[in-house]
Amino acid sequence: MTRHLFHAALAAGLAAVGWVAAGSVAGQPLTLAITLLIAAFFGAGALELHRFRQATATLAAAVADEQPPARLDDWLARLHPALRQPVRLRIEGERVGLPGPALTPFLAGLLVLLGMLGTFLGMVVTLDGTGQALQGATDLASIRASLSAPVKGLGLAFGTSVAGVAASAMLGLMAALCRRDRLLAVQRLDLRIATSLHGFSQAWRRDESFRLLQQQAQAMPALVDQLQQMVAAMAQQQQAMHERLAGSQERFHHQAEA
């Protein structure tokens, strides 16, 4: 559904800009130039959002696989290069945000400003032409004839505002849809981090180290008992050796005296 809405918004934005550009081809070169500039910036924003959606698709495909990976690097290799390091930090426990579109928010506002700029320039040119036409008019018929062309040109001048606002609105809608897809993918990622990817987090490593320390602490009394038993056995062996040595010396002395 989101993909269809994205394509529909893209088509609507291109249609609005194309309609204004088609109406400006006849006799409004300035309006046509501004409209083509709006189309170029709209295309740049759409291209950035397309790449953003591709990166989100790699993340969504990776988190859809519920099998725990053997190595984190192998799992991260499935992601877009721009997402690997932020996702790694997020898995390790750092609450970092994933990168978003950099130019699209700026372009959405720029499109409206370009539309207004085209309208103001068109109004200036139209009013200037109107003044010159009125200066050369002598009767009512000639005045009406001289005003018809500037009024039509004024209507076309407002078309740049239509193109700018429509392109900005569609670009904003496309950006909102892309951010929604990214938010859903990040929510699934957080769920995976709490389950199958928990073994790669710093918290799990700290817990595992603490558990090993607890096991070592629990094993220490038994180890001390074993050491005490070993020391006691060595003391008994030493005592037995001392007694045997003393008995041997005593027998030697008796034999020497005999």
Side-chain angles (χ1 to χ4, degrees):
M1 185 64 181
T2 303
R3 181 182 61 183
H4 296 317
L5 287 176
F6 181 87
H7 292 155
L10 177 61
L14 293 176
V17 175
W19 173 70
V20 175
S24 304
V25 172
Q28 293 289 331
L30 181 61
T31 303
L32 179 61
I34 298 296
T35 305
L36 293 179
L37 188 61
I38 291 173
F41 284 119
F42 179 75
L47 180 60
E48 184 184 29
L49 291 178
H50 175 67
R51 294 174 179 174
F52 182 80
R53 290 180 71 242
Q54 288 181 336
T56 303
T58 60
L59 178 60
V63 298
D65 187 8
E66 297 182 357
Q67 295 295 329
R71 296 177 66 253
L72 181 60
D73 291 337
D74 296 338
W75 188 84
L76 290 174
R78 302 166 60 182
L79 303 180
H80 191 272
L83 296 180
R84 291 172 185 172
Q85 186 61 23
V87 171
R88 179 191 293 274
L89 295 177
R90 199 175 185 92
I91 291 175
E92 291 178 352
E94 300 288 339
R95 304 304 298 177
V96 297
L98 301 186
L103 295 177
T104 301
F106 169 74
L107 292 177
L110 180 62
L111 292 175
V112 178
L113 295 178
L114 286 176
M116 295 177 62
L117 176 62
T119 298
F120 292 152
L121 292 177
M123 290 177 63
V124 170
V125 174
T126 300
L127 293 178
D128 185 49
T130 303
Q132 294 178 1
L134 290 176
Q135 289 179 358
T138 56
D139 54 358
L140 183 59
S142 60
I143 292 176
R144 292 178 60 183
S146 62
L147 288 178
S148 60
V151 169
K152 291 180 181 179
L154 187 62
L156 291 176
F158 279 99
T160 57
S161 292
V162 174
V165 172
S168 176
M170 293 301 102
L171 190 63
L173 177 60
M174 293 159 60
L177 294 173
C178 292
R179 286 194 296 267
R180 178 179 177 274
D181 291 341
R182 176 62 63 86
L183 179 60
L184 294 176
V186 170
Q187 290 177 352
R188 297 191 186 99
L189 174 63
D190 292 338
L191 181 61
R192 289 290 308 279
I193 291 174
T195 54
S196 59
L197 294 177
H198 184 64
F200 301 102
S201 64
Q202 295 291 343
W204 182 86
R205 295 173 183 174
R206 289 193 297 266
D207 294 340
E208 189 68 14
S209 300
F210 182 70
R211 185 180 63 83
L212 293 176
L213 290 175
Q214 284 183 332
Q215 291 179 354
Q216 293 177 359
Q218 293 174 357
M220 285 299 294
L223 180 61
V224 171
D225 292 339
Q226 291 179 359
L227 290 175
Q228 289 178 349
Q229 293 175 3
M230 186 181 298
V231 170
M234 292 177 63
Q236 291 178 358
Q237 292 178 0
Q238 186 176 5
Q239 182 65 27
M241 290 178 61
H242 179 71
E243 291 178 354
R244 287 196 300 269
L245 181 60
S248 298
Q249 289 179 352
E250 186 176 357
R251 286 194 301 272
F252 174 75
H253 288 305
H254 284 308
Q255 292 175 0
E257 289 175 357

Coordinates of all heavy atoms in Angstrom, one line a residue, residues 166-225:
A166 N 2.3 22.1 -5.4 CA 2.0 20.7 -5.7 C 3.2 19.8 -5.6 O 3.1 18.8 -5.0 CB 1.4 20.6 -7.1
A167 N 4.3 20.2 -6.1 CA 5.5 19.4 -6.0 C 6.0 19.3 -4.6 O 6.4 18.2 -4.1 CB 6.6 20.0 -6.9
S168 N 5.9 20.4 -3.8 CA 6.3 20.4 -2.4 C 5.4 19.5 -1.6 O 5.9 18.7 -0.8 CB 6.3 21.8 -1.9 OG 6.6 21.8 -0.5
A169 N 4.1 19.5 -1.9 CA 3.2 18.7 -1.1 C 3.4 17.2 -1.4 O 3.4 16.4 -0.5 CB 1.7 19.1 -1.5
M170 N 3.6 16.9 -2.7 CA 3.8 15.5 -3.1 C 5.1 15.0 -2.5 O 5.3 13.8 -2.1 CB 3.7 15.3 -4.6 CG 2.4 15.6 -5.2 SD 1.1 14.5 -4.5 CE 0.3 15.6 -3.3
L171 N 6.2 15.8 -2.6 CA 7.5 15.4 -2.0 C 7.4 15.2 -0.5 O 8.0 14.3 0.0 CB 8.5 16.5 -2.4 CG 10.0 16.1 -2.1 CD1 10.4 14.9 -3.0 CD2 10.9 17.3 -2.4
G172 N 6.6 16.1 0.2 CA 6.4 15.9 1.6 C 5.7 14.6 1.9 O 6.0 13.9 2.9
L173 N 4.7 14.3 1.1 CA 3.9 13.1 1.3 C 4.8 11.8 1.1 O 4.8 10.9 1.8 CB 2.7 13.0 0.3 CG 1.9 11.7 0.4 CD1 1.3 11.5 1.7 CD2 0.8 11.8 -0.7
M174 N 5.6 11.9 0.0 CA 6.6 10.8 -0.2 C 7.6 10.6 0.9 O 7.9 9.5 1.3 CB 7.3 11.1 -1.6 CG 6.4 11.0 -2.8 SD 7.1 11.9 -4.2 CE 8.6 11.0 -4.5
A175 N 8.1 11.8 1.4 CA 9.0 11.7 2.6 C 8.3 11.1 3.8 O 8.9 10.3 4.5 CB 9.6 13.1 2.9
A176 N 7.1 11.5 4.0 CA 6.4 10.9 5.2 C 6.2 9.4 5.0 O 6.3 8.6 6.0 CB 5.0 11.6 5.3
L177 N 5.8 8.9 3.8 CA 5.7 7.5 3.6 C 7.0 6.8 3.8 O 7.0 5.7 4.4 CB 5.1 7.3 2.2 CG 3.7 7.8 1.9 CD1 3.4 7.6 0.4 CD2 2.7 7.0 2.8
C178 N 8.1 7.4 3.4 CA 9.4 6.7 3.5 C 9.8 6.7 5.0 O 10.3 5.7 5.5 CB 10.5 7.5 2.7 SG 10.3 7.3 0.9
R179 N 9.5 7.7 5.8 CA 9.8 7.7 7.2 C 9.0 6.7 7.9 O 9.4 6.1 8.9 CB 9.6 9.1 7.8 CG 10.7 10.1 7.4 CD 10.7 11.4 8.3 NE 9.4 12.1 8.0 CZ 9.3 13.1 7.2 NH1 10.3 13.4 6.4 NH2 8.1 13.7 7.0
R180 N 7.7 6.5 7.5 CA 6.9 5.5 8.1 C 7.4 4.1 7.9 O 7.5 3.3 8.8 CB 5.5 5.6 7.5 CG 4.5 4.6 8.1 CD 3.1 4.8 7.5 NE 2.2 3.8 7.9 CZ 2.1 2.6 7.3 NH1 2.8 2.3 6.3 NH2 1.2 1.7 7.8
D181 N 7.9 3.8 6.7 CA 8.5 2.5 6.4 C 9.7 2.3 7.3 O 10.0 1.3 7.8 CB 8.8 2.4 4.9 CG 7.6 2.3 4.1 OD1 6.5 2.0 4.6 OD2 7.7 2.5 2.9
R182 N 10.6 3.4 7.4 CA 11.8 3.3 8.2 C 11.4 3.1 9.7 O 12.1 2.3 10.4 CB 12.6 4.5 8.0 CG 13.9 4.6 8.8 CD 14.8 3.5 8.6 NE 15.3 3.5 7.2 CZ 16.4 4.3 6.8 NH1 17.0 5.0 7.7 NH2 16.8 4.2 5.5
L183 N 10.4 3.7 10.2 CA 10.0 3.6 11.6 C 9.5 2.1 11.8 O 9.9 1.5 12.9 CB 8.9 4.6 11.9 CG 8.3 4.5 13.3 CD1 9.4 4.8 14.3 CD2 7.2 5.5 13.5
L184 N 8.8 1.6 10.9 CA 8.3 0.2 11.1 C 9.5 -0.8 11.1 O 9.6 -1.7 11.9 CB 7.3 -0.2 10.0 CG 6.0 0.5 10.0 CD1 5.1 0.1 8.8 CD2 5.3 0.2 11.3
A185 N 10.5 -0.5 10.2 CA 11.7 -1.4 10.1 C 12.5 -1.2 11.4 O 13.1 -2.2 11.9 CB 12.5 -1.0 8.9
V186 N 12.6 0.0 12.0 CA 13.4 0.2 13.2 C 12.7 -0.5 14.4 O 13.4 -1.1 15.3 CB 13.6 1.7 13.4 CG1 14.2 1.9 14.8 CG2 14.5 2.3 12.4
Q187 N 11.4 -0.5 14.4 CA 10.6 -1.2 15.5 C 10.9 -2.7 15.4 O 11.1 -3.3 16.4 CB 9.2 -0.9 15.4 CG 8.8 0.5 15.7 CD 7.3 0.8 15.5 OE1 6.6 0.0 15.0 NE2 6.9 2.0 15.9
R188 N 10.9 -3.3 14.2 CA 11.2 -4.7 14.1 C 12.7 -5.0 14.5 O 13.0 -6.0 15.1 CB 11.0 -5.1 12.6 CG 9.5 -5.0 12.2 CD 9.3 -5.8 10.9 NE 7.9 -5.6 10.4 CZ 7.6 -4.7 9.5 NH1 8.5 -4.0 8.9 NH2 6.3 -4.6 9.0
L189 N 13.6 -4.0 14.1 CA 15.0 -4.2 14.5 C 15.1 -4.2 16.0 O 15.9 -5.0 16.6 CB 15.8 -3.0 13.9 CG 17.3 -3.0 14.3 CD1 18.0 -4.2 13.9 CD2 17.9 -1.7 13.8
D190 N 14.4 -3.3 16.7 CA 14.5 -3.3 18.2 C 13.9 -4.6 18.8 O 14.4 -5.0 19.8 CB 13.7 -2.1 18.7 CG 14.4 -0.7 18.4 OD1 15.6 -0.8 18.1 OD2 13.7 0.3 18.4
L191 N 12.9 -5.1 18.1 CA 12.4 -6.4 18.6 C 13.4 -7.5 18.4 O 13.6 -8.4 19.3 CB 11.1 -6.7 17.9 CG 10.4 -8.0 18.3 CD1 10.0 -8.0 19.7 CD2 9.2 -8.3 17.4
R192 N 14.1 -7.5 17.3 CA 15.2 -8.5 17.1 C 16.3 -8.3 18.0 O 17.0 -9.3 18.5 CB 15.7 -8.4 15.6 CG 14.7 -8.9 14.6 CD 14.5 -10.4 14.6 NE 15.8 -11.1 14.6 CZ 16.5 -11.3 13.5 NH1 16.0 -11.0 12.3 NH2 17.6 -12.0 13.5
I193 N 16.6 -7.1 18.3 CA 17.7 -6.8 19.3 C 17.4 -7.4 20.7 O 18.3 -7.9 21.4 CB 18.0 -5.3 19.4 CG1 18.6 -4.8 18.0 CG2 18.9 -4.9 20.5 CD1 18.8 -3.3 18.0
A194 N 16.1 -7.3 21.0 CA 15.7 -7.9 22.3 C 15.6 -9.4 22.3 O 15.5 -10.0 23.4 CB 14.4 -7.3 22.7
T195 N 15.7 -10.0 21.2 CA 15.5 -11.5 21.1 C 16.7 -12.2 20.5 O 17.7 -12.5 21.2 CB 14.2 -11.8 20.3 OG1 14.3 -11.2 19.0 CG2 13.0 -11.3 21.1
S196 N 16.7 -12.4 19.2 CA 17.7 -13.2 18.5 C 19.0 -12.4 18.4 O 20.1 -13.1 18.3 CB 17.2 -13.6 17.1 OG 16.9 -12.4 16.3
L197 N 19.1 -11.1 18.4 CA 20.3 -10.3 18.3 C 20.8 -9.9 19.6 O 21.8 -9.1 19.7 CB 20.1 -9.1 17.4 CG 19.8 -9.4 15.9 CD1 19.6 -8.1 15.2 CD2 20.9 -10.2 15.3
H198 N 20.2 -10.3 20.7 CA 20.6 -9.9 22.0 C 22.0 -10.4 22.4 O 22.7 -9.8 23.2 CB 19.6 -10.4 23.1 CG 19.9 -9.9 24.5 ND1 19.9 -8.6 24.8 CD2 20.3 -10.6 25.6 CE1 20.2 -8.4 26.1 NE2 20.4 -9.6 26.6
G199 N 22.4 -11.5 21.8 CA 23.7 -12.1 22.1 C 24.9 -11.2 21.6 O 26.0 -11.4 22.0
F200 N 24.6 -10.2 20.7 CA 25.7 -9.4 20.2 C 25.7 -8.0 20.9 O 26.5 -7.1 20.5 CB 25.5 -9.1 18.7 CG 25.5 -10.4 17.9 CD1 24.3 -10.9 17.4 CD2 26.7 -11.0 17.6 CE1 24.3 -12.1 16.7 CE2 26.7 -12.2 16.9 CZ 25.5 -12.7 16.4
S201 N 24.9 -7.8 21.9 CA 24.8 -6.5 22.6 C 25.8 -6.5 23.8 O 26.3 -7.5 24.3 CB 23.4 -6.3 23.2 OG 23.1 -7.2 24.1
Q202 N 26.2 -5.2 24.1 CA 27.1 -5.0 25.2 C 26.5 -5.5 26.6 O 27.2 -6.0 27.5 CB 27.6 -3.6 25.3 CG 28.4 -3.1 24.1 CD 29.7 -3.7 24.1 OE1 30.2 -4.2 25.1 NE2 30.4 -3.6 22.9
A203 N 25.2 -5.3 26.7 CA 24.5 -5.7 27.9 C 24.6 -7.2 28.1 O 24.8 -7.7 29.2 CB 23.0 -5.2 27.9
W204 N 24.4 -7.9 27.0 CA 24.5 -9.4 27.1 C 25.9 -9.8 27.5 O 26.1 -10.7 28.3 CB 24.1 -10.0 25.8 CG 24.1 -11.6 25.9 CD1 23.1 -12.4 26.3 CD2 25.2 -12.4 25.5 NE1 23.5 -13.7 26.2 CE2 24.8 -13.7 25.7 CE3 26.5 -12.2 25.0 CZ2 25.6 -14.8 25.5 CZ3 27.3 -13.3 24.8 CH2 26.9 -14.6 25.0
R205 N 26.9 -9.2 27.0 CA 28.3 -9.5 27.3 C 28.6 -9.2 28.8 O 29.3 -9.9 29.4 CB 29.2 -8.7 26.4 CG 29.1 -9.1 24.9 CD 29.9 -8.3 24.0 NE 29.8 -8.6 22.6 CZ 30.3 -7.9 21.6 NH1 31.0 -6.8 21.9 NH2 30.1 -8.3 20.4
R206 N 28.0 -8.1 29.2 CA 28.2 -7.7 30.7 C 27.5 -8.8 31.6 O 28.1 -9.2 32.6 CB 27.7 -6.3 31.0 CG 28.6 -5.2 30.4 CD 28.2 -3.9 31.0 NE 26.8 -3.5 30.6 CZ 26.5 -2.8 29.6 NH1 27.4 -2.3 28.7 NH2 25.2 -2.5 29.3
D207 N 26.3 -9.1 31.2 CA 25.6 -10.2 31.9 C 26.3 -11.5 31.9 O 26.4 -12.2 32.9 CB 24.2 -10.3 31.4 CG 23.3 -9.1 31.6 OD1 23.7 -8.3 32.5 OD2 22.3 -8.9 30.9
E208 N 26.9 -11.8 30.7 CA 27.6 -13.1 30.6 C 28.9 -13.1 31.5 O 29.2 -14.1 32.2 CB 28.0 -13.4 29.2 CG 28.5 -14.7 28.9 CD 27.5 -15.9 29.1 OE1 26.3 -15.6 29.2 OE2 28.0 -17.0 29.2
S209 N 29.6 -11.9 31.5 CA 30.8 -11.8 32.3 C 30.4 -11.9 33.8 O 31.1 -12.5 34.6 CB 31.5 -10.5 32.0 OG 31.9 -10.4 30.7
F210 N 29.3 -11.2 34.2 CA 28.9 -11.3 35.6 C 28.5 -12.7 36.0 O 28.7 -13.2 37.1 CB 27.7 -10.3 35.8 CG 27.2 -10.3 37.2 CD1 28.0 -9.7 38.2 CD2 25.9 -10.8 37.5 CE1 27.5 -9.6 39.5 CE2 25.5 -10.8 38.8 CZ 26.2 -10.2 39.8
R211 N 27.8 -13.4 35.0 CA 27.4 -14.8 35.3 C 28.7 -15.7 35.5 O 28.7 -16.6 36.4 CB 26.6 -15.3 34.2 CG 26.0 -16.7 34.4 CD 25.1 -17.2 33.3 NE 25.9 -17.3 32.1 CZ 26.6 -18.4 31.8 NH1 26.7 -19.4 32.6 NH2 27.3 -18.4 30.6
L212 N 29.7 -15.5 34.7 CA 30.9 -16.3 34.8 C 31.6 -16.0 36.2 O 32.1 -16.9 36.8 CB 31.8 -16.0 33.7 CG 31.4 -16.5 32.3 CD1 32.4 -16.1 31.2 CD2 31.2 -18.0 32.3
L213 N 31.6 -14.7 36.5 CA 32.2 -14.3 37.8 C 31.4 -15.0 39.0 O 32.0 -15.4 40.0 CB 32.2 -12.8 38.0 CG 33.2 -12.0 37.1 CD1 33.0 -10.5 37.3 CD2 34.6 -12.5 37.4
Q214 N 30.1 -15.0 38.9 CA 29.3 -15.7 39.9 C 29.6 -17.2 40.0 O 29.7 -17.7 41.1 CB 27.8 -15.5 39.6 CG 27.3 -14.1 39.9 CD 25.8 -14.0 39.7 OE1 25.2 -14.7 38.9 NE2 25.1 -13.1 40.4
Q215 N 29.8 -17.8 38.8 CA 30.1 -19.2 38.8 C 31.5 -19.4 39.5 O 31.7 -20.4 40.2 CB 30.1 -19.8 37.4 CG 28.7 -19.9 36.8 CD 28.8 -20.4 35.4 OE1 29.8 -20.6 34.8 NE2 27.6 -20.6 34.8
Q216 N 32.4 -18.5 39.2 CA 33.7 -18.7 39.8 C 33.7 -18.4 41.3 O 34.4 -19.1 42.1 CB 34.7 -17.6 39.1 CG 35.0 -17.9 37.7 CD 35.9 -16.9 37.1 OE1 36.3 -15.9 37.7 NE2 36.3 -17.1 35.8
A217 N 32.8 -17.5 41.7 CA 32.7 -17.2 43.1 C 32.1 -18.4 43.8 O 32.4 -18.8 45.0 CB 31.9 -16.0 43.4
Q218 N 31.1 -19.0 43.2 CA 30.5 -20.2 43.8 C 31.4 -21.4 43.8 O 31.3 -22.3 44.7 CB 29.2 -20.6 43.0 CG 28.1 -19.6 43.1 CD 26.9 -19.9 42.2 OE1 27.0 -20.9 41.4 NE2 25.9 -19.1 42.2
A219 N 32.4 -21.5 42.9 CA 33.3 -22.6 42.8 C 34.5 -22.4 43.8 O 35.2 -23.3 44.1 CB 33.8 -22.8 41.4
M220 N 34.7 -21.2 44.3 CA 35.8 -20.9 45.2 C 35.8 -21.7 46.5 O 36.9 -22.2 46.9 CB 35.9 -19.4 45.5 CG 36.4 -18.5 44.3 SD 38.1 -19.0 43.8 CE 39.0 -18.5 45.3
P221 N 34.7 -21.8 47.2 CA 34.7 -22.6 48.4 C 35.1 -24.1 48.2 O 35.9 -24.7 48.9 CB 33.3 -22.5 48.9 CG 32.8 -21.3 48.4 CD 33.4 -21.1 47.1
A222 N 34.6 -24.7 47.1 CA 35.0 -26.1 46.8 C 36.5 -26.1 46.5 O 37.2 -27.1 46.9 CB 34.2 -26.6 45.6
L223 N 37.0 -25.1 45.8 CA 38.4 -25.1 45.4 C 39.3 -25.0 46.7 O 40.3 -25.6 46.8 CB 38.7 -24.0 44.4 CG 40.1 -23.8 44.0 CD1 40.6 -25.1 43.2 CD2 40.2 -22.6 43.1
V224 N 38.8 -24.1 47.6 CA 39.5 -24.0 48.9 C 39.5 -25.2 49.7 O 40.6 -25.6 50.2 CB 38.9 -22.8 49.7 CG1 39.5 -22.7 51.1 CG2 39.2 -21.5 49.0
D225 N 38.4 -25.9 49.7 CA 38.3 -27.2 50.4 C 39.3 -28.2 49.8 O 40.0 -29.0 50.5 CB 36.9 -27.8 50.4 CG 36.0 -26.9 51.2 OD1 36.5 -26.2 52.1 OD2 34.7 -27.0 51.0

